[in-house]
Amino acid sequence: MTVYDPNNIFAKILRDEIPSHRVYEDDAVVVFMDVMPQGQGHTLVVPKAPSRNLLDADAATLGPLFQTVQKVARAVKRAFAADGVTIMQFNEPASGQTVYHLHVHVIPRFEGVPLKPHTGQMEKPEVLAENASKIRAALAG
Ligand code: AMP
């Protein structure tokens, strides 16, 4: 199946039908914490416009999306005093995509600390809430 499914989990988060640890929202994007982080502060930037992934996205979605990716990358680097930031984005199952609404992973990186497995272990809600609050503060400051 390669059509957009409006009942994917991120579409439900965008419609506030299921909870998320939100960091930021504007007309074009929502930013929230990944529940199975590959590193401390792993954040997802999700455009509101529906597309399965980058391959079927409207080009007009990409400018605002990546402007926010840059803002969030700078904010997480500051919030966690990270040494670097990894940006990842998967398209279709062969690439590792598991949720079929376009999104970009923003992951703070620390020298010598490898990424944890993709969709590995669930993080505690209180840790996600605290990390979201640190990133919100960094975005505001
Ligand atoms: P991808 O494999 O690129 O489609 O990544 C999907 C990401 O969404 C994974 O990193 C999951 O840990 C994450 N994820 C899955 N369900 C949720 C959820 N309800 N809230 C936040 N992140 C989620």
Side-chain angles (χ1 to χ4, degrees):
M1 181 171 114
T2 52
V3 294
Y4 180 78
D5 172 9
N7 286 320
N8 73 76
I9 199 151
F10 289 174
K12 290 180 180 175
I13 288 175
L14 293 177
R15 293 195 295 265
D16 264 334
E17 291 169 8
I18 62 169
S20 66
H21 293 275
R22 288 200 188 206
V23 167
Y24 173 82
E25 176 171 4
D26 63 24
D27 289 348
V29 299
V30 172
V31 180
F32 52 88
M33 303 311 294
D34 193 305
V35 289
M36 290 173 269
Q38 291 186 253
Q40 188 195 22
H42 183 166
T43 304
L44 299 168
V45 183
V46 183
K48 290 184 173 175
S51 76
R52 209 174 136 80
N53 52 45
L54 188 70
L55 302 172
D56 63 331
D58 188 320
T61 304
L62 305 180
L65 173 63
F66 275 86
Q67 280 171 26
T68 303
V69 167
Q70 185 189 42
K71 281 184 199 153
V72 172
R74 288 172 171 163
V76 298
K77 187 168 183 296
R78 205 162 65 241
F80 299 100
D83 301 309
V85 182
T86 292
I87 305 297
M88 296 196 298
Q89 192 277 316
F90 302 107
N91 302 282
E92 298 301 327
S95 74
Q97 187 177 9
T98 58
V99 176
Y100 297 96
H101 181 113
L102 175 60
H103 56 278
V104 179
H105 299 257
V106 179
I107 311 176
R109 299 302 303 274
F110 304 89
E111 292 295 348
V113 180
L115 285 182
K116 293 184 198 161
H118 187 53
T119 62
Q121 218 179 332
M122 290 284 282
E123 183 55 277
K124 295 186 200 75
E126 58 268 29
V127 172
L128 294 174
E130 189 185 337
N131 287 343
S133 131
K134 283 183 185 165
I135 301 168
R136 275 196 296 273
L139 279 168

PDB file of all heavy atoms in Angstrom, residues 58-82:
ATOM      1  N   ASP A  58       4.273  17.311  -1.131  1.00  0.00           N
ATOM      2  CA  ASP A  58       4.219  18.522  -1.936  1.00  0.00           C
ATOM      3  C   ASP A  58       5.495  19.322  -1.648  1.00  0.00           C
ATOM      4  O   ASP A  58       5.852  19.508  -0.479  1.00  0.00           O
ATOM      5  CB  ASP A  58       2.973  19.305  -1.509  1.00  0.00           C
ATOM      6  CG  ASP A  58       2.691  20.497  -2.397  1.00  0.00           C
ATOM      7  OD1 ASP A  58       3.655  21.186  -2.798  1.00  0.00           O
ATOM      8  OD2 ASP A  58       1.511  20.749  -2.657  1.00  0.00           O
ATOM      9  N   ALA A  59       6.153  19.806  -2.685  1.00  0.00           N
ATOM     10  CA  ALA A  59       7.415  20.536  -2.484  1.00  0.00           C
ATOM     11  C   ALA A  59       7.230  21.731  -1.551  1.00  0.00           C
ATOM     12  O   ALA A  59       8.147  22.089  -0.801  1.00  0.00           O
ATOM     13  CB  ALA A  59       7.979  20.981  -3.826  1.00  0.00           C
ATOM     14  N   ALA A  60       6.033  22.332  -1.559  1.00  0.00           N
ATOM     15  CA  ALA A  60       5.782  23.510  -0.722  1.00  0.00           C
ATOM     16  C   ALA A  60       5.835  23.177   0.770  1.00  0.00           C
ATOM     17  O   ALA A  60       6.026  24.059   1.601  1.00  0.00           O
ATOM     18  CB  ALA A  60       4.424  24.114  -1.063  1.00  0.00           C
ATOM     19  N   THR A  61       5.698  21.909   1.102  1.00  0.00           N
ATOM     20  CA  THR A  61       5.765  21.479   2.502  1.00  0.00           C
ATOM     21  C   THR A  61       7.205  21.525   3.030  1.00  0.00           C
ATOM     22  O   THR A  61       7.437  21.677   4.227  1.00  0.00           O
ATOM     23  CB  THR A  61       5.245  20.014   2.606  1.00  0.00           C
ATOM     24  OG1 THR A  61       3.938  19.964   2.064  1.00  0.00           O
ATOM     25  CG2 THR A  61       5.235  19.504   4.024  1.00  0.00           C
ATOM     26  N   LEU A  62       8.161  21.360   2.128  1.00  0.00           N
ATOM     27  CA  LEU A  62       9.529  21.069   2.563  1.00  0.00           C
ATOM     28  C   LEU A  62      10.277  22.275   3.127  1.00  0.00           C
ATOM     29  O   LEU A  62      11.086  22.117   4.050  1.00  0.00           O
ATOM     30  CB  LEU A  62      10.320  20.447   1.411  1.00  0.00           C
ATOM     31  CG  LEU A  62       9.672  19.191   0.805  1.00  0.00           C
ATOM     32  CD1 LEU A  62      10.524  18.642  -0.321  1.00  0.00           C
ATOM     33  CD2 LEU A  62       9.415  18.128   1.863  1.00  0.00           C
ATOM     34  N   GLY A  63      10.009  23.462   2.581  1.00  0.00           N
ATOM     35  CA  GLY A  63      10.696  24.663   3.079  1.00  0.00           C
ATOM     36  C   GLY A  63      10.396  24.890   4.549  1.00  0.00           C
ATOM     37  O   GLY A  63      11.313  24.887   5.396  1.00  0.00           O
ATOM     38  N   PRO A  64       9.088  25.071   4.890  1.00  0.00           N
ATOM     39  CA  PRO A  64       8.748  25.269   6.315  1.00  0.00           C
ATOM     40  C   PRO A  64       9.192  24.101   7.188  1.00  0.00           C
ATOM     41  O   PRO A  64       9.660  24.305   8.312  1.00  0.00           O
ATOM     42  CB  PRO A  64       7.211  25.376   6.302  1.00  0.00           C
ATOM     43  CG  PRO A  64       6.880  25.822   4.913  1.00  0.00           C
ATOM     44  CD  PRO A  64       7.929  25.239   4.005  1.00  0.00           C
ATOM     45  N   LEU A  65       9.103  22.884   6.668  1.00  0.00           N
ATOM     46  CA  LEU A  65       9.513  21.709   7.450  1.00  0.00           C
ATOM     47  C   LEU A  65      10.987  21.816   7.828  1.00  0.00           C
ATOM     48  O   LEU A  65      11.359  21.691   9.006  1.00  0.00           O
ATOM     49  CB  LEU A  65       9.242  20.434   6.637  1.00  0.00           C
ATOM     50  CG  LEU A  65       9.769  19.131   7.229  1.00  0.00           C
ATOM     51  CD1 LEU A  65       9.117  18.814   8.567  1.00  0.00           C
ATOM     52  CD2 LEU A  65       9.537  17.964   6.248  1.00  0.00           C
ATOM     53  N   PHE A  66      11.844  22.084   6.841  1.00  0.00           N
ATOM     54  CA  PHE A  66      13.277  22.074   7.137  1.00  0.00           C
ATOM     55  C   PHE A  66      13.739  23.344   7.847  1.00  0.00           C
ATOM     56  O   PHE A  66      14.756  23.321   8.544  1.00  0.00           O
ATOM     57  CB  PHE A  66      14.092  21.729   5.887  1.00  0.00           C
ATOM     58  CG  PHE A  66      14.192  20.234   5.740  1.00  0.00           C
ATOM     59  CD1 PHE A  66      13.190  19.521   5.086  1.00  0.00           C
ATOM     60  CD2 PHE A  66      15.217  19.522   6.333  1.00  0.00           C
ATOM     61  CE1 PHE A  66      13.230  18.139   4.999  1.00  0.00           C
ATOM     62  CE2 PHE A  66      15.274  18.139   6.262  1.00  0.00           C
ATOM     63  CZ  PHE A  66      14.281  17.442   5.585  1.00  0.00           C
ATOM     64  N   GLN A  67      12.967  24.431   7.714  1.00  0.00           N
ATOM     65  CA  GLN A  67      13.294  25.599   8.542  1.00  0.00           C
ATOM     66  C   GLN A  67      13.094  25.238  10.017  1.00  0.00           C
ATOM     67  O   GLN A  67      13.896  25.608  10.880  1.00  0.00           O
ATOM     68  CB  GLN A  67      12.405  26.782   8.157  1.00  0.00           C
ATOM     69  CG  GLN A  67      12.909  27.470   6.900  1.00  0.00           C
ATOM     70  CD  GLN A  67      11.927  28.516   6.381  1.00  0.00           C
ATOM     71  OE1 GLN A  67      11.135  29.068   7.132  1.00  0.00           O
ATOM     72  NE2 GLN A  67      11.982  28.760   5.097  1.00  0.00           N
ATOM     73  N   THR A  68      12.031  24.486  10.291  1.00  0.00           N
ATOM     74  CA  THR A  68      11.794  24.074  11.688  1.00  0.00           C
ATOM     75  C   THR A  68      12.805  23.019  12.117  1.00  0.00           C
ATOM     76  O   THR A  68      13.267  23.033  13.261  1.00  0.00           O
ATOM     77  CB  THR A  68      10.347  23.574  11.855  1.00  0.00           C
ATOM     78  OG1 THR A  68       9.476  24.623  11.446  1.00  0.00           O
ATOM     79  CG2 THR A  68      10.060  23.202  13.298  1.00  0.00           C
ATOM     80  N   VAL A  69      13.162  22.115  11.218  1.00  0.00           N
ATOM     81  CA  VAL A  69      14.207  21.129  11.561  1.00  0.00           C
ATOM     82  C   VAL A  69      15.474  21.870  12.007  1.00  0.00           C
ATOM     83  O   VAL A  69      16.096  21.512  13.019  1.00  0.00           O
ATOM     84  CB  VAL A  69      14.505  20.199  10.362  1.00  0.00           C
ATOM     85  CG1 VAL A  69      15.784  19.396  10.595  1.00  0.00           C
ATOM     86  CG2 VAL A  69      13.325  19.265  10.108  1.00  0.00           C
ATOM     87  N   GLN A  70      15.856  22.919  11.286  1.00  0.00           N
ATOM     88  CA  GLN A  70      17.062  23.660  11.667  1.00  0.00           C
ATOM     89  C   GLN A  70      16.909  24.313  13.038  1.00  0.00           C
ATOM     90  O   GLN A  70      17.814  24.254  13.879  1.00  0.00           O
ATOM     91  CB  GLN A  70      17.392  24.725  10.607  1.00  0.00           C
ATOM     92  CG  GLN A  70      18.703  25.444  10.900  1.00  0.00           C
ATOM     93  CD  GLN A  70      18.938  26.639  10.003  1.00  0.00           C
ATOM     94  OE1 GLN A  70      18.015  27.410   9.736  1.00  0.00           O
ATOM     95  NE2 GLN A  70      20.154  26.784   9.515  1.00  0.00           N
ATOM     96  N   LYS A  71      15.735  24.940  13.271  1.00  0.00           N
ATOM     97  CA  LYS A  71      15.496  25.582  14.583  1.00  0.00           C
ATOM     98  C   LYS A  71      15.574  24.555  15.710  1.00  0.00           C
ATOM     99  O   LYS A  71      16.165  24.799  16.763  1.00  0.00           O
ATOM    100  CB  LYS A  71      14.093  26.224  14.619  1.00  0.00           C
ATOM    101  CG  LYS A  71      14.011  27.551  13.917  1.00  0.00           C
ATOM    102  CD  LYS A  71      12.609  28.132  14.093  1.00  0.00           C
ATOM    103  CE  LYS A  71      12.366  29.192  13.031  1.00  0.00           C
ATOM    104  NZ  LYS A  71      10.961  29.374  12.679  1.00  0.00           N
ATOM    105  N   VAL A  72      14.956  23.398  15.482  1.00  0.00           N
ATOM    106  CA  VAL A  72      14.932  22.366  16.522  1.00  0.00           C
ATOM    107  C   VAL A  72      16.338  21.784  16.713  1.00  0.00           C
ATOM    108  O   VAL A  72      16.758  21.513  17.841  1.00  0.00           O
ATOM    109  CB  VAL A  72      13.886  21.280  16.184  1.00  0.00           C
ATOM    110  CG1 VAL A  72      13.982  20.097  17.140  1.00  0.00           C
ATOM    111  CG2 VAL A  72      12.478  21.867  16.216  1.00  0.00           C
ATOM    112  N   ALA A  73      17.081  21.617  15.626  1.00  0.00           N
ATOM    113  CA  ALA A  73      18.447  21.090  15.736  1.00  0.00           C
ATOM    114  C   ALA A  73      19.305  22.030  16.589  1.00  0.00           C
ATOM    115  O   ALA A  73      20.050  21.585  17.476  1.00  0.00           O
ATOM    116  CB  ALA A  73      19.060  20.925  14.342  1.00  0.00           C
ATOM    117  N   ARG A  74      19.173  23.336  16.334  1.00  0.00           N
ATOM    118  CA  ARG A  74      19.938  24.298  17.141  1.00  0.00           C
ATOM    119  C   ARG A  74      19.487  24.249  18.600  1.00  0.00           C
ATOM    120  O   ARG A  74      20.302  24.312  19.523  1.00  0.00           O
ATOM    121  CB  ARG A  74      19.746  25.709  16.582  1.00  0.00           C
ATOM    122  CG  ARG A  74      20.481  25.923  15.264  1.00  0.00           C
ATOM    123  CD  ARG A  74      20.093  27.261  14.668  1.00  0.00           C
ATOM    124  NE  ARG A  74      20.923  27.596  13.511  1.00  0.00           N
ATOM    125  CZ  ARG A  74      20.604  28.518  12.610  1.00  0.00           C
ATOM    126  NH1 ARG A  74      19.466  29.186  12.713  1.00  0.00           N
ATOM    127  NH2 ARG A  74      21.412  28.770  11.593  1.00  0.00           N
ATOM    128  N   ALA A  75      18.166  24.130  18.795  1.00  0.00           N
ATOM    129  CA  ALA A  75      17.623  24.143  20.169  1.00  0.00           C
ATOM    130  C   ALA A  75      18.051  22.906  20.946  1.00  0.00           C
ATOM    131  O   ALA A  75      18.428  23.009  22.114  1.00  0.00           O
ATOM    132  CB  ALA A  75      16.099  24.247  20.125  1.00  0.00           C
ATOM    133  N   VAL A  76      17.994  21.713  20.308  1.00  0.00           N
ATOM    134  CA  VAL A  76      18.377  20.507  21.071  1.00  0.00           C
ATOM    135  C   VAL A  76      19.879  20.516  21.371  1.00  0.00           C
ATOM    136  O   VAL A  76      20.302  20.044  22.423  1.00  0.00           O
ATOM    137  CB  VAL A  76      17.976  19.171  20.380  1.00  0.00           C
ATOM    138  CG1 VAL A  76      16.472  19.050  20.230  1.00  0.00           C
ATOM    139  CG2 VAL A  76      18.693  18.938  19.072  1.00  0.00           C
ATOM    140  N   LYS A  77      20.650  21.068  20.457  1.00  0.00           N
ATOM    141  CA  LYS A  77      22.104  21.121  20.694  1.00  0.00           C
ATOM    142  C   LYS A  77      22.373  21.948  21.947  1.00  0.00           C
ATOM    143  O   LYS A  77      23.162  21.563  22.814  1.00  0.00           O
ATOM    144  CB  LYS A  77      22.827  21.690  19.481  1.00  0.00           C
ATOM    145  CG  LYS A  77      24.339  21.607  19.586  1.00  0.00           C
ATOM    146  CD  LYS A  77      25.006  21.900  18.260  1.00  0.00           C
ATOM    147  CE  LYS A  77      26.517  21.731  18.356  1.00  0.00           C
ATOM    148  NZ  LYS A  77      27.165  22.664  19.264  1.00  0.00           N
ATOM    149  N   ARG A  78      21.652  23.092  22.044  1.00  0.00           N
ATOM    150  CA  ARG A  78      21.834  23.957  23.213  1.00  0.00           C
ATOM    151  C   ARG A  78      21.224  23.329  24.470  1.00  0.00           C
ATOM    152  O   ARG A  78      21.827  23.327  25.531  1.00  0.00           O
ATOM    153  CB  ARG A  78      21.210  25.324  22.926  1.00  0.00           C
ATOM    154  CG  ARG A  78      21.822  26.413  23.744  1.00  0.00           C
ATOM    155  CD  ARG A  78      21.579  27.810  23.241  1.00  0.00           C
ATOM    156  NE  ARG A  78      20.175  28.189  23.290  1.00  0.00           N
ATOM    157  CZ  ARG A  78      19.462  28.527  22.225  1.00  0.00           C
ATOM    158  NH1 ARG A  78      20.013  28.545  21.037  1.00  0.00           N
ATOM    159  NH2 ARG A  78      18.202  28.869  22.348  1.00  0.00           N
ATOM    160  N   ALA A  79      20.008  22.776  24.320  1.00  0.00           N
ATOM    161  CA  ALA A  79      19.279  22.252  25.492  1.00  0.00           C
ATOM    162  C   ALA A  79      20.049  21.141  26.198  1.00  0.00           C
ATOM    163  O   ALA A  79      19.994  21.033  27.423  1.00  0.00           O
ATOM    164  CB  ALA A  79      17.908  21.737  25.067  1.00  0.00           C
ATOM    165  N   PHE A  80      20.751  20.312  25.416  1.00  0.00           N
ATOM    166  CA  PHE A  80      21.428  19.151  26.015  1.00  0.00           C
ATOM    167  C   PHE A  80      22.952  19.288  25.979  1.00  0.00           C
ATOM    168  O   PHE A  80      23.665  18.327  26.250  1.00  0.00           O
ATOM    169  CB  PHE A  80      20.985  17.865  25.303  1.00  0.00           C
ATOM    170  CG  PHE A  80      19.494  17.636  25.430  1.00  0.00           C
ATOM    171  CD1 PHE A  80      18.642  17.965  24.386  1.00  0.00           C
ATOM    172  CD2 PHE A  80      18.957  17.142  26.606  1.00  0.00           C
ATOM    173  CE1 PHE A  80      17.268  17.791  24.503  1.00  0.00           C
ATOM    174  CE2 PHE A  80      17.584  16.965  26.736  1.00  0.00           C
ATOM    175  CZ  PHE A  80      16.742  17.300  25.681  1.00  0.00           C
ATOM    176  N   ALA A  81      23.431  20.489  25.608  1.00  0.00           N
ATOM    177  CA  ALA A  81      24.879  20.707  25.454  1.00  0.00           C
ATOM    178  C   ALA A  81      25.489  19.582  24.612  1.00  0.00           C
ATOM    179  O   ALA A  81      26.522  18.994  24.980  1.00  0.00           O
ATOM    180  CB  ALA A  81      25.550  20.818  26.822  1.00  0.00           C
ATOM    181  N   ALA A  82      24.830  19.275  23.479  1.00  0.00           N
ATOM    182  CA  ALA A  82      25.273  18.176  22.614  1.00  0.00           C
ATOM    183  C   ALA A  82      26.491  18.589  21.797  1.00  0.00           C
ATOM    184  O   ALA A  82      26.744  19.777  21.576  1.00  0.00           O
ATOM    185  CB  ALA A  82      24.127  17.769  21.691  1.00  0.00           C
TER     186      ALA A  82
END
